[in-house]
Amino acid sequence: MAAGVALWGLVLLLAHPILYERDGGLWWGWGALCIVGCCSLFSARNIRGRLRLLHVVGPMVAVALLSLWLSQHWGNAALLELLARVGLLWLSFAIARDPVARRILAGALVAGSLIVCAYAFLQSRGLDPLPSATPFAGRRIVATFENPNYLGNFAACAFPVLLALFFSPVRTVERSVVGTAAVLSYGACILAGSRGAWIAGLGGTAVVLAGVILAVRRGEIRLRWSYLSILLLALLGTTYVATRDPIIANAHGKVSAGERLFSALHFFSPHGKVEEGAPADTSATSMRVGDIQVNDTTINHRYFIWQVAWAMAQDRPILGVGYGEFASQFPRYRDGLRDGDWYGSLIGAQQMEDTRYAHNELLHLWAECGLLGLLAFAWMVGCVGWVLLDQLRCGVSLYMWALVAALGVMLIHSLVSYPLHLPFNSMIFWVCAGLGLGYQREEATTLS
């Protein structure tokens, strides 16, 4: 089963938009794997483990099904997405105890990171052998993904995990391969130009480094200063290469990585009154609308989408507008906010866009499934977090720190994006959650 997960995950990761549509083949592959995984769980002897897993995900599934029943929208694809998420959780829970399975999954991540992130560097040098199949054309680095934010999310998640594998006791050849993948994923994250991914990746890296420090103090690992020096030099060199050229273009010209990073400050002041004689802002997508200077239209757009999602949540606060119904309900709630300041500060394309996601996973879930759905998801995340933190207190390997970092990156980036709704990116979250819960099953079996 682990080999099947790794193989299908690589297919999703390496699939280029010009060759393969991820959404088209997602459900077939995951459906087959999840059926096998669920059957294996029910045929296993660990009944307590299965009941514990049902206790964790049961409320989330029950609320989603209740929301679907009340909204009478059983035919939407969200039901398949829900089943795939739960199936992935169960599948990874089943294989969590097998060290060989964990090595297979780790090896797939290393191989995929090497290929995808190296491809991102080829695109940055204008050496992409395949034609672009995304609206970004040559203006943004996307690698095999359809959107630079998707690439940024993957790279930000992969880097701390690869960093943890680099510091783990492995052979020299393996450490060299993992270190190369880590450096490439770090560079790809910069090239993607996703500010949310940068911040999330920084948080995940801090988690892994904390784990490395604790492991060194406990005597569980020994730092090889020669390897560490090479890694630091490679990261510094990658920083220079990745930031040397502009990574994004706005209405006033090219924007470097540094300018892109500092433009995140506009999150707290996305628009304001225009001052006479004030220079145009060139650090982000800036424009003037009447007497309003829009510092960053992408951040403004986020604020407006959040306002629409909040209107949905206020309209139906308990069970939401229906699981998977955000996109269908968005135009109606958007049109009700056309007279607001946020709507007036958007460019024309953003005003007319029928957004599928709230760009905030918690707010999206609240709008679709209400407060009950939000609490059910928080319960699931809390259970996984409790198991992982309990394991960390016992002094486990860096593998567990890597799981915490990966989940942390996903949750942080989820505050400004929608990685849990993407085929491959969502897979990382649910597989890591299942692996974390699987360690609880191993401990319970051992102690009994």
Side-chain angles (χ1 to χ4, degrees):
M1 286 191 296
V5 174
L7 179 60
W8 188 244
L10 277 175
V11 170
L12 291 177
L13 176 60
L14 303 181
H16 193 279
I18 197 69
L19 302 174
Y20 176 77
E21 174 59 42
R22 286 176 173 82
D23 291 334
L26 172 68
W27 309 120
W28 292 102
W30 283 137
L33 287 173
C34 293
I35 290 174
V36 174
C38 291
C39 290
S40 65
L41 274 175
F42 283 107
S43 63
R45 293 191 299 268
N46 188 11
I47 299 177
R48 292 177 58 187
R50 296 199 300 271
L51 291 176
R52 186 180 296 114
L53 186 59
L54 183 63
H55 171 69
V56 171
V57 301
M60 184 177 63
V61 175
V63 172
L65 293 177
L66 179 60
S67 177
L68 279 172
W69 178 67
L70 292 177
S71 63
Q72 297 297 309
H73 290 289
W74 290 100
N76 65 30
L79 182 59
L80 293 176
E81 183 179 346
L82 173 66
L83 296 177
R85 290 177 176 183
V86 176
L88 279 174
L89 191 72
W90 281 56
L91 186 59
S92 55
F93 177 86
I95 64 178
R97 296 179 63 188
D98 187 354
V100 176
R102 296 198 298 267
R103 287 184 63 86
I104 291 174
L105 293 177
L109 177 65
V110 173
S113 300
L114 282 170
I115 298 172
V116 171
C117 297
Y119 185 50
F121 275 92
L122 287 178
Q123 282 187 340
S124 70
R125 302 293 99 187
L127 301 175
D128 188 350
L130 295 173
S132 175
T134 72
F136 298 94
R139 295 180 291 109
R140 297 287 299 273
I141 304 302
V142 297
T144 59
F145 292 89
E146 298 123 287
N147 188 298
N149 288 329
Y150 306 172
L151 169 63
N153 176 261
F154 165 69
C157 187
F159 176 66
V161 175
L162 294 169
L163 204 60
L165 296 176
F166 177 84
F167 284 107
S168 299
V170 294
R171 292 176 295 181
T172 301
V173 175
E174 293 177 338
R175 194 188 305 273
S176 300
V177 174
V178 170
T180 302
V183 171
L184 288 174
S185 65
Y186 169 79
C189 188
I190 296 177
L191 292 173
S194 173
R195 292 164 292 188
W198 290 348
I199 296 172
L202 182 62
T205 302
V207 168
V208 168
L209 292 180
V212 170
I213 293 173
L214 288 176
V216 171
R217 292 183 60 182
R218 292 169 177 168
E220 297 171 356
I221 62 172
R222 292 179 56 189
L223 292 180
R224 301 291 184 90
W225 294 104
S226 57
Y227 295 139
L228 183 59
S229 300
I230 294 173
L231 178 65
L232 290 176
L233 289 175
L235 291 176
L236 289 174
T238 302
T239 302
Y240 172 76
V241 172
T243 59
R244 185 178 60 178
D245 298 329
I247 61 172
I248 189 174
N250 67 11
H252 301 285
K254 302 291 186 177
V255 177
S256 68
E259 290 173 326
R260 178 69 170 168
L261 178 61
F262 282 113
S263 70
L265 297 175
H266 294 154
F267 182 84
F268 302 102
S269 58
H271 66 72
K273 296 293 183 180
V274 174
E275 299 179 7
E276 289 296 331
D281 182 3
T282 60
S283 64
T285 309
S286 175
M287 64 174 294
R288 177 170 175 166
V289 181
D291 62 346
I292 294 177
Q293 177 68 31
V294 180
N295 290 324
D296 193 331
T297 58
T298 58
I299 294 179
N300 251 40
H301 195 207
R302 293 287 200 281
Y303 272 95
F304 178 70
I305 295 172
W306 294 340
Q307 187 182 35
V308 174
W310 177 241
M312 293 185 193
Q314 285 182 310
D315 191 22
R316 298 185 179 181
I318 305 301
L319 283 171
V321 297
Y323 185 72
E325 290 300 304
F326 182 89
S328 64
Q329 296 293 327
F330 182 85
R332 179 166 67 91
Y333 285 90
R334 177 199 61 198
D335 294 343
L337 297 170
R338 287 182 181 273
D339 297 331
D341 292 337
W342 292 115
Y343 184 85
S345 65
L346 302 179
I347 61 177
Q350 293 170 338
Q351 290 179 343
M352 299 304 296
E353 181 180 353
D354 292 337
T355 305
R356 296 174 59 191
Y357 310 109
H359 288 76
N360 181 306
E361 293 286 4
L362 300 181
L363 193 54
H364 186 106
L365 188 59
W366 195 346
E368 287 192 342
C369 293
L371 187 59
L372 290 180
L374 184 63
L375 292 176
F377 179 76
W379 166 258
M380 188 277 296
V381 172
C383 290
V384 175
W386 180 264
V387 172
L388 290 173
L389 291 177
D390 185 58
Q391 293 290 339
L392 294 181
R393 286 195 296 266
C394 298
V396 296
S397 68
L398 289 177
Y399 194 91
M400 295 298 292
W401 286 95
L403 293 180
V404 174
L407 293 171
V409 168
M410 286 292 170
L411 291 174
I412 294 173
H413 200 199
S414 292
L415 298 178
V416 293
S417 188
Y418 46 93
L420 302 188
H421 281 85
L422 305 175
F424 179 78
N425 304 64
S426 176
M427 165 203 157
I428 296 177
F429 178 84
W430 295 104
V431 167
C432 288
L435 291 175
L437 287 172
Y439 275 89
Q440 183 185 41
R441 183 179 71 163
E442 179 182 9
E443 180 184 16
T445 303
T446 303
L447 293 177
S448 60

